[in-house]
Amino acid sequence: MNILIENAESLEYLTETNLWSKLPAEGKSFGSVKPALAAAKKEAIGKFNIVWFNRETKQFINMEHGRGQVHA
């Protein structure tokens, strides 16, 4: 499954190198929603979405949402 973490405000995707990319194909793919959600909650971002991305059709399905960590 191609489950990605999307920054809901910038519409960027977390990559394997923990950077952000506008290209969903560069996003780190999680095996399921649960590990993606756990990882997203640790990121220093505001609102996020956990999305399923179909690489062939370029379609998205929103699976979950939440907020990341606030770092001072």
Side-chain angles (χ1 to χ4, degrees):
M1 252 189 160
N2 204 22
I3 304 292
L4 308 175
I5 298 173
E6 176 189 58
N7 182 319
E9 295 161 357
S10 69
L11 301 179
E12 294 178 313
Y13 305 91
L14 185 66
T15 68
E16 289 284 344
T17 57
N18 291 325
L19 299 174
W20 295 92
S21 173
K22 288 281 188 186
L23 303 174
E26 294 180 357
K28 179 179 181 178
S29 181
F30 291 83
S32 67
V33 172
K34 191 173 182 176
L37 191 57
K41 288 180 178 181
K42 294 177 183 175
E43 287 296 315
I45 58 175
K47 294 179 183 178
F48 66 79
N49 297 311
I50 305 300
V51 298
W52 174 75
F53 176 64
N54 184 320
R55 290 181 191 264
E56 293 176 18
T57 64
K58 310 291 191 237
Q59 292 178 304
F60 293 92
I61 296 176
N62 285 329
M63 308 293 284
E64 187 66 69
H65 66 277
R67 287 193 171 271
Q69 292 287 328
V70 176
H71 295 284

